[in-house]
C-alpha cells in the first residue's frame, strides 16, 4: 500500500469497463491509500461488477450529469459512504453519432447541445454538486483530449473538449479561494469503449504510433491514470487551471 493519497476520499466517475482510464485511476488511488466511491450511469450492475474488481470493492452511486435531481441529491448520497471528499475525477464525455465521424458541417444543434452538456458543462455541474463535501478544499481532475487543433473525425467532441478546457480555467478561478484546484489530463487515445464508438478512430491510432517521441501504447491507460492520481495528491498544492499532457509527446511535435 502506498501513501500518496493516504486518507483521501475520492469520487470517481466514468468507470464503464476495466479498460477505462477511470477504473485504473480508482485502482491506483486505492493502492495509494484512498477511499473511493464510484458513480455509474445506465447499467449500474455493469459498473458494480467492475467496482468489485478493484483492490477493495467500491460503492457505486447513480449519476446522470444531465439529471437535475441526481445532481441535487448527489452530495447526500455520497455522504452515505464517506463523510466528505478530497478529490473528484470527471471522466465523462458523450456525443451522438451525428456529431462525429466527419459530419461536422451537418450536425444539428440538438446533438451539439448534448455533446456540450454531457462533455463540458458537466464539469461545472458535477463540481458544484459535490462542493459541500469539499470542506477542506481539494482537487478536481478532468479527462481531456488535446483541443488546440482540429482532429480527423473528432468533430463536435473536439469543440466540447475545447469548452471543457475553458470551463476548467473558469472553475479554477472561482474555486481557488475555496482551496479547490481544477486541472485536466489530456491523454492520448486509448482503446476504451468510448473510443471505439468514434467512427474512424483508427485514424488516431496511426498518428500516435508514428509521432509520439516516447512511443504510445493504445492499450495502456495507466500513464494517464498515474497523472490523475498525482494531481489528486498534495504534491501539486499550487497548480490549478492546468492541462497536463500524457500523450507520449505528440502535442509538442510539428507536422
Amino acid at each position: 500500500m502506498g501513501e500518496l493519497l493516504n486518507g483521501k476520499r475520492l469520487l470517481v466517475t466514468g468507470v464503464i469497463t476495466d479498460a477505462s482510464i477511470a477504473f485504473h485511476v480508482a485502482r491506483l488511488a486505492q493502492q495509494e491509500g484512498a477511499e473511493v466511491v464510484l458513480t455509474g450511469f445506465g447499467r449500474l450492475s455493469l459498473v458494480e461488477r467492475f467496482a468489485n474488481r478493484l483492490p477493495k470493492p467500491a460503492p457505486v452511486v447513480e449519476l446522470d450529469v444531465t439529471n437535475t435531481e441526481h445532481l441535487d441529491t448527489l452530495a447526500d448520497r455520497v455522504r452515505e459512504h464517506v463523510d466528505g471528499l478530497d478529490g473528484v475525477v470527471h471522466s465523462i464525455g458523450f456525443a451522438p453519432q451525428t456529431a462525429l465521424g466527419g459530419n461536422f458541417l451537418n450536425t444539428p444543434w440538438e446533438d451539439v447541445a448534448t455533446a456540450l452538456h454531457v462533455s463540458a458543462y458537466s464539469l461545472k455541474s458535477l463540481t458544484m454538486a459535490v462542493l459541500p463535501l469539499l470542506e477542506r478544499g481539494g482537487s478536481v481532475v478532468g479527462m481531456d483530449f488535446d483541443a488546440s487543433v482540429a482532429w480527423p473525425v473528432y468533430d463536435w467532441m473536439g469543440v466540447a473538449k475545447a469548452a471543457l478546457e475553458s470551463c476548467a480555467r473558469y472553475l479554477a478561478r472561482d474555486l481557488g479561494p475555496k482551496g479547490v484546484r481544477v486541472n485536466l489530463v489530456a491523454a492520448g487515445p486509448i482503446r476504451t469503449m468510448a473510443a471505439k464508438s468514434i467512427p474512424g478512430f483508427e485514424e488516431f491510432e496511426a498518428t500516435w504510433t508514428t509521432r509520439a517521441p516516447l512511443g504510445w501504447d493504445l492499450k495502456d491507460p495507466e500513464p494517464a491514470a498515474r497523472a490523475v492520481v498525482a494531481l489528486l495528491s498534495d504534491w501539486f498544492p499550487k497548480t490549478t487551471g492546468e492541462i497536463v499532457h500524457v500523450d507520449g509527446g505528440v502535442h509538442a511535435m510539428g507536422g
Side-chain angles (χ1 to χ4, degrees):
M1 179 73 70
E3 298 184 355
L4 191 64
L5 298 178
N6 194 34
K8 299 289 188 188
R9 303 154 301 173
L10 307 178
L11 183 68
V12 179
T13 68
V15 172
I16 302 174
T17 72
D18 54 5
S20 306
I21 295 174
F23 176 87
H24 291 272
V25 170
R27 175 181 62 80
L28 291 171
Q30 286 186 343
Q31 291 173 351
E32 292 297 330
E35 190 170 358
V36 173
V37 177
L38 304 181
T39 73
F41 170 62
R43 297 173 60 188
L44 283 186
S45 60
L46 184 62
V47 180
E48 289 166 350
R49 182 193 310 170
F50 290 106
N52 288 328
R53 295 186 184 179
L54 291 168
K56 177 184 176 183
V60 178
V61 175
E62 186 177 14
L63 177 62
D64 173 357
V65 290
T66 67
N67 185 313
T68 301
E69 182 180 353
H70 283 196
L71 292 166
D72 288 345
T73 61
L74 181 61
D76 288 338
R77 291 184 291 123
V78 170
R79 202 177 271 117
E80 294 175 6
H81 304 286
V82 289
D83 59 0
L85 289 175
D86 303 288
V88 180
V89 178
H90 178 280
S91 184
I92 300 169
F94 171 76
Q97 289 291 297
T98 58
L100 299 163
N103 196 46
F104 183 84
L105 298 179
N106 303 310
T107 307
W109 163 245
E110 292 77 14
D111 291 345
V112 172
T114 296
L116 292 172
H117 191 176
V118 176
S119 308
Y121 182 78
S122 65
L123 178 65
K124 193 279 294 189
S125 55
L126 171 64
T127 302
M128 294 306 295
V130 299
L131 191 60
L133 299 174
L134 294 165
E135 297 173 351
R136 305 189 307 219
S139 175
V140 177
V141 184
M143 295 308 306
D144 188 23
F145 190 80
D146 184 17
S148 63
V149 297
W151 295 103
V153 309
Y154 207 46
D155 295 348
W156 286 101
M157 183 58 91
V159 176
K161 289 299 186 183
L164 177 75
E165 293 177 0
S166 185
C167 183
R169 289 189 286 269
Y170 280 96
L171 280 174
R173 180 195 69 181
D174 290 349
L175 297 182
K178 297 181 182 296
V180 176
R181 297 172 284 123
V182 183
N183 296 288
L184 301 178
V185 171
I190 301 293
R191 286 178 184 163
T192 61
M193 185 177 293
K196 291 175 183 176
S197 70
I198 300 173
F201 178 75
E202 61 276 2
E203 294 189 41
F204 288 108
E205 299 185 358
T207 297
W208 259 262
T209 54
T210 58
R211 293 186 59 202
L214 288 175
W216 187 252
D217 185 350
L218 293 151
K219 299 178 181 179
D220 185 8
E222 186 160 324
R226 283 176 173 264
V228 174
V229 168
L231 287 168
L232 289 168
S233 78
D234 294 329
W235 282 93
F236 289 85
K238 296 298 180 183
T239 298
T240 195
E242 186 60 85
I243 301 173
V244 177
H245 290 81
V246 183
D247 64 351
V250 167
H251 75 281
M253 299 297 105

